[in-house]
Amino acid sequence: RRQRQMCIRDRLRRTIMIITKEILKFFKVALNIIRKKAIVEGVYISDEVMYAANIECQAAYILEQKDITKPIVIPSKAAEYIISFPVNSKLEFLVKDSCLTIKSGRNKVRFSLLEENTYPKRSKKEDLLLSVNAGKFVESVKASAIAGDCNSPNTRVKCVHISVRNGKLISSATDGKKLAFVDIVPANCDMLEKCEITFPIAHIGYLSMFECADNIEINYANHKRAVTLKQDGFELSSTLIECSDINSLISITESIKNGTGNTFVVEQESLKTVLSRIALLSSVNENKIKCVVSGDTFAITNMDTTTACEQVIDITDSTSNSEVKMCLNLKDFKELVGSVDGEIKVICAGGDKPVLLEAENKLFLMTQFRC
């Protein structure tokens, strides 16, 4: 009888984990999270969920297996070791006291477990706000983030702003000089009037957790300043940030789009090509270009550089009867043009006022230099 009890206790300490694509995806995101502003550099595993957390966000994956008798926190090195195995690998976990042994065939490795009671508590799901197609959501957030210029240390507003404007769900972002608007089509619109979310640009890489074929549930907790994205077994919870700088640029964009001004249409591929040529011949620190619309041509010239370069492309459609001049940032112009396909409509309000680029469901605003 004693021997049988010992066998039962030993069996309860053992857990079999089959490596799946979903588990690999979770651990890759988890490792990125626990390397940034982590409170405890480990991954929490219980009989129902695995999750990783830092002071800004949490990522979770709901487990199907229910045979983990006591929650454990494995160190990041253990997580790295787990994802070194290919899909369908069979791993055996043996927990004894504060030690974890991972066995695979004849290979085994030991890790010291971290304290479970020091790990941040997992965020709980709020009432469902809306359901959005994952592909549309991820695409729109990434497209908006281009205007947020997440790689620039000078970016003041490090977030994508998601809100309702004119009955539509819109994602937008800005670095203080340029702005992006992208439409998101929700699956249900019951509570859209309450939607006002600022999703941190730094967390966009974590969206790789979600498949583009299904919908994402967006749960918004205004009083907690947090948002949870959920799809099947995956959850991503992010702490929201303030986004006061964006509202003034949104107002400017709407006034230009709804007002009167000069518009012309060019092919994205042609514009992308000439901007790449100019960038090739321009100094790294000199990004000012002069753009002139005259008749059915659009001429672009680099400025403040030792290598003079002018490139001309045809305009397919125009409402301008007179010459229009613009002075834009080459780097910003090139990045925004590269993020769309097909035809691009350029809307000029005149003078030094900002310029709009419109393509598909995307709308970008660019401030001008003084020529």
Side-chain angles (χ1 to χ4, degrees):
R1 183 179 176 182
R2 183 179 178 184
Q3 185 177 5
R4 188 173 69 178
Q5 288 177 339
M6 290 177 65
C7 289
I8 292 173
R9 284 200 302 269
D10 186 58
R11 187 163 66 248
L12 291 175
R13 293 191 188 111
R14 296 178 184 272
T15 301
I16 302 297
M17 178 181 285
I18 305 298
I19 302 298
T20 64
K21 291 181 179 178
E22 288 75 20
I23 287 176
L24 288 178
K25 190 188 299 184
F26 165 76
F27 273 115
K28 288 177 181 177
V29 171
L31 285 169
N32 283 324
I33 288 175
I34 61 181
R35 286 168 180 156
K36 299 176 182 177
K37 301 182 179 179
I39 301 172
V40 178
E41 293 190 3
V43 177
Y44 182 97
I45 303 176
S46 70
D47 65 342
E48 61 175 15
V49 68
M50 299 189 298
Y51 74 95
N54 61 22
I55 62 175
E56 294 181 334
C57 71
Q58 295 184 1
Y61 177 62
I62 309 302
L63 293 169
E64 296 180 358
Q65 61 193 77
K66 303 292 182 182
D67 54 352
I68 298 177
T69 57
K70 184 181 178 182
I72 59 174
V73 179
I74 66 172
S76 56
K77 282 293 182 182
E80 291 173 359
Y81 181 74
I82 291 170
I83 65 173
S84 69
F85 288 89
V87 174
N88 296 325
S89 297
K90 181 180 177 181
L91 302 183
E92 183 180 8
F93 287 13
L94 174 61
V95 177
K96 188 174 182 180
D97 299 327
S98 61
C99 182
L100 167 68
T101 301
I102 302 178
K103 297 178 66 176
S104 175
R106 292 177 295 177
N107 302 314
K108 63 181 180 180
V109 62
R110 290 188 179 89
F111 298 95
S112 295
L113 296 174
L114 303 177
E115 288 293 331
E116 180 264 333
N117 57 4
T118 62
Y119 207 79
K121 299 300 180 183
R122 177 170 158 237
S123 298
K124 295 299 182 181
K125 179 174 176 274
E126 297 294 317
D127 291 336
L128 174 66
L129 173 63
L130 68 154
S131 178
V132 179
N133 177 272
K136 293 289 186 183
F137 181 81
V138 174
E139 176 194 1
S140 62
V141 169
K142 288 183 177 179
S144 302
I146 292 173
D149 199 4
C150 56
N151 295 319
S152 172
N154 299 321
T155 300
R156 298 199 306 272
V157 186
K158 297 182 181 295
C159 68
V160 171
H161 185 73
I162 301 170
S163 61
V164 178
R165 305 194 74 82
N166 301 322
K168 290 184 177 181
L169 189 64
I170 301 291
S171 69
S172 51
T174 182
D175 62 354
K177 296 180 180 178
K178 57 184 182 294
L179 173 75
F181 266 176
V182 183
D183 293 348
I184 309 175
V185 181
N188 69 301
C189 308
D190 296 338
M191 300 175 67
L192 282 187
E193 69 278 2
K194 298 180 183 179
C195 185
E196 192 79 15
I197 299 170
T198 48
F199 188 81
I201 283 179
H203 299 177
I204 288 174
Y206 306 147
L207 294 177
S208 60
M209 297 177 68
F210 303 109
E211 294 290 343
C212 293
D214 300 319
N215 286 341
I216 293 178
E217 293 179 0
I218 301 179
N219 303 279
Y220 173 48
N222 186 43
H223 61 288
K224 293 182 180 178
R225 301 295 303 154
V227 62
T228 299
L229 309 179
K230 183 178 180 182
Q231 182 191 72
D232 298 329
F234 289 109
E235 292 181 8
L236 176 63
S237 301
S238 296
T239 303
L240 302 184
I241 55 180
E242 294 298 329
C243 188
S244 57
D245 287 15
I246 204 168
N247 291 323
S248 58
L249 285 175
I250 289 175
S251 299
I252 292 171
T253 301
E254 291 177 339
S255 65
I256 293 175
K257 191 175 189 307
N258 297 329
T260 57
N262 299 305
T263 65
F264 62 94
V265 178
V266 292
E267 287 292 333
Q268 182 266 359
E269 196 61 40
S270 300
L271 185 55
K272 180 181 175 182
T273 299
V274 301
L275 291 174
S276 297
R277 289 172 181 164
I278 292 175
L280 182 68
L281 299 175
S282 298
S283 172
V284 175
N285 298 319
E286 295 166 352
N287 274 309
K288 193 182 292 187
I289 55 172
K290 184 178 181 180
C291 306
V292 179
V293 181
S294 180
D296 58 356
T297 61
F298 182 38
I300 305 174
T301 309
N302 60 352
M303 301 171 65
D304 302 325
T305 182
T306 56
T307 305
C309 177
E310 181 182 78
Q311 299 286 298
V312 180
I313 59 174
D314 293 329
I315 292 173
T316 58
D317 188 20
S318 176
T319 63
S320 175
N321 297 320
S322 58
E323 187 176 80
V324 178
K325 295 181 180 180
M326 299 173 288
C327 194
L328 303 174
N329 182 292
L330 172 60
K331 177 179 175 292
D332 293 345
F333 199 8
K334 185 170 176 288
E335 284 182 353
L336 298 181
V337 168
S339 68
V340 299
D341 296 310
E343 291 186 331
I344 298 175
K345 179 193 283 188
V346 183
I347 306 172
C348 314
D352 294 333
K353 294 180 181 178
V355 175
L356 296 186
L357 307 179
E358 186 175 7
E360 300 171 324
N361 64 330
K362 303 178 180 69
L363 182 65
F364 301 102
L365 175 139
M366 296 179 62
T367 55
Q368 289 199 62
F369 291 112
R370 291 187 179 275
C371 291

